[in-house]
Amino acid sequence: MQIITKIHVVILLGAMVFGGSVQANQTKLSDTQQKGLDIAKEAELRNDGFIDNRAKLTMILRNKRGDASTRLLRVRTLEGENDAVDGDKSLMIFDSPRDQKGSALLTYSYKFKPDDQWIYLPAAKRVKRIASRNKSGPFVGSEFAYEDFNTPVVEKYKYDYLRDEQLQEQDCYVIERAPLDKYSGYRRQIVWMDKLEYRVLKIDFYDRKNSLLKTLTVNGYELYSDRYWRANNQMMINHQTGKSTDLKFSDYQFKTGLRDVDFSINSLKRAR
């Protein structure tokens, strides 16, 4: 969500619930806060213009004993048309296991209002809206929350630059970002981003009590269209439960002709 790289990882919310945008408070930022915001803006800018993409996704859930179960999905993403207001739209469609085949999660990301999410459950034959206060809950039993699949939008966080540090043999910026959404399950996130390409390599998630909850590790990046980096592997470890979830992406395709109609609420029931 963009994890963090688009798709993948992570959380957001709206100006109406946090009483003003990041831009409105820029004059009050300290040097480290401004640097953190600038790093986040540059990372977002580097992914602009991808139009749309599709990918296959294998989700592997492991309990604390290491027992695993696998889900196969397809992911579609459409870039927001109005960069000043709209975020991206994404659709995740289950192909297996059999009891979840046809289930689909639709997400609309916005810059200045709460995001929208809906899930279609074939067994119930209905589309269910995910309430804002429920987006911190686990997605299909995984260690990823619903909010982790929202495209990260700069305006939905406050930032602070912490330090420079090496990770995965790469020079990184380490920044803190705090969600402005009062319903987020996270108090803050520590993000490692490589200095060369501004790709997220790791995120530590702290719960509302400020205890370390989860760690996301991202690797296996590949370059598409000479500009867009996408990660093949993401692993989320829950330090409080001992469970983990792997996301393995493959077969990325860009500019495939996806349209808004492919991301309508009515299209959830027809997702194939």
Side-chain angles (χ1 to χ4, degrees):
M1 50 161 28
Q2 306 201 254
I3 111 153
I4 323 189
T5 55
K6 297 246 180 172
I7 227 199
H8 324 327
V9 154
V10 168
I11 157 180
L12 329 145
L13 264 125
M16 291 183 288
V17 298
F18 50 77
S21 68
V22 171
Q23 289 88 342
N25 295 315
Q26 278 188 1
T27 56
K28 302 178 183 178
L29 298 182
S30 68
D31 290 345
T32 58
Q33 290 170 336
Q34 184 63 58
K35 184 171 182 178
L37 176 59
D38 290 343
I39 292 168
K41 285 182 175 180
E42 179 63 23
E44 186 175 75
L45 180 64
R46 298 220 178 180
N47 200 56
D48 283 351
F50 73 94
I51 309 299
D52 70 60
N53 66 238
R54 302 172 186 250
K56 293 180 180 179
L57 170 60
T58 300
M59 178 184 290
I60 304 171
L61 286 67
R62 293 185 174 86
N63 62 24
K64 60 183 179 181
R65 297 187 302 273
D67 301 326
S69 60
T70 300
R71 292 157 169 72
L72 301 179
L73 305 89
R74 283 165 291 134
V75 181
R76 301 169 184 172
T77 306
L78 181 67
E79 189 171 24
E81 292 184 0
N82 185 346
D83 287 342
V85 178
D86 298 328
D88 300 336
K89 297 178 179 178
S90 65
L91 180 63
M92 304 178 70
I93 307 162
F94 282 80
D95 291 327
S96 73
R98 180 178 297 180
D99 62 349
Q100 293 183 359
K101 181 177 175 63
S103 299
L105 176 69
L106 176 64
T107 300
Y108 287 8
S109 296
Y110 306 107
K111 291 196 173 185
F112 300 110
K113 64 178 181 178
D115 299 331
D116 289 321
Q117 285 184 306
W118 301 267
I119 190 166
Y120 173 63
L121 303 172
K125 296 183 178 179
R126 69 186 184 95
V127 175
K128 178 182 178 182
R129 185 187 183 94
I130 308 299
S132 294
R133 64 179 65 248
N134 295 331
K135 291 177 183 177
S136 61
F139 176 62
V140 296
S142 75
E143 299 315 303
F144 287 84
Y146 282 94
E147 63 180 305
D148 294 334
F149 291 105
N150 293 347
T151 302
V153 176
V154 168
E155 289 79 2
K156 300 292 183 75
Y157 302 85
K158 59 180 179 180
Y159 297 88
D160 200 3
Y161 164 79
L162 301 180
R163 61 186 180 273
D164 290 355
E165 188 172 286
Q166 275 214 334
L167 182 68
Q168 299 180 18
E169 299 182 347
Q170 299 184 67
D171 292 329
C172 295
Y173 298 113
V174 184
I175 65 173
E176 178 180 88
R177 63 185 185 192
L180 296 171
D181 174 15
K182 64 180 180 180
Y183 292 122
S184 173
Y186 310 120
R187 180 169 177 176
R188 62 191 178 102
Q189 304 166 14
I190 307 300
V191 183
W192 283 256
M193 190 178 299
D194 80 87
K195 290 185 176 182
L196 184 61
E197 302 293 348
Y198 289 78
R199 300 169 299 190
V200 171
L201 304 182
K202 178 182 172 182
I203 305 176
D204 281 342
F205 297 85
Y206 289 80
D207 64 20
R208 300 300 297 182
K209 296 179 180 180
N210 205 27
S211 296
L212 179 61
L213 174 62
K214 302 185 297 188
T215 295
L216 176 70
T217 304
V218 186
N219 55 48
Y221 277 100
E222 292 188 25
L223 184 64
Y224 295 86
S225 302
D226 295 322
R227 179 175 177 183
Y228 305 111
W229 290 97
R230 293 295 183 269
N232 292 327
N233 305 306
Q234 301 185 33
M235 181 175 67
M236 185 77 85
I237 297 176
N238 189 316
H239 300 288
Q240 298 182 9
T241 66
K243 298 179 181 179
S244 66
T245 299
D246 291 351
L247 302 182
K248 298 184 179 297
F249 295 91
S250 62
D251 297 337
Y252 275 106
Q253 300 176 53
F254 287 78
K255 299 181 180 179
T256 65
L258 292 171
R259 302 174 297 163
D260 277 330
V261 68
D262 299 312
F263 296 84
S264 68
I265 298 173
N266 290 334
S267 72
L268 272 175
K269 297 180 180 181
R270 303 190 301 271
R272 297 288 186 273

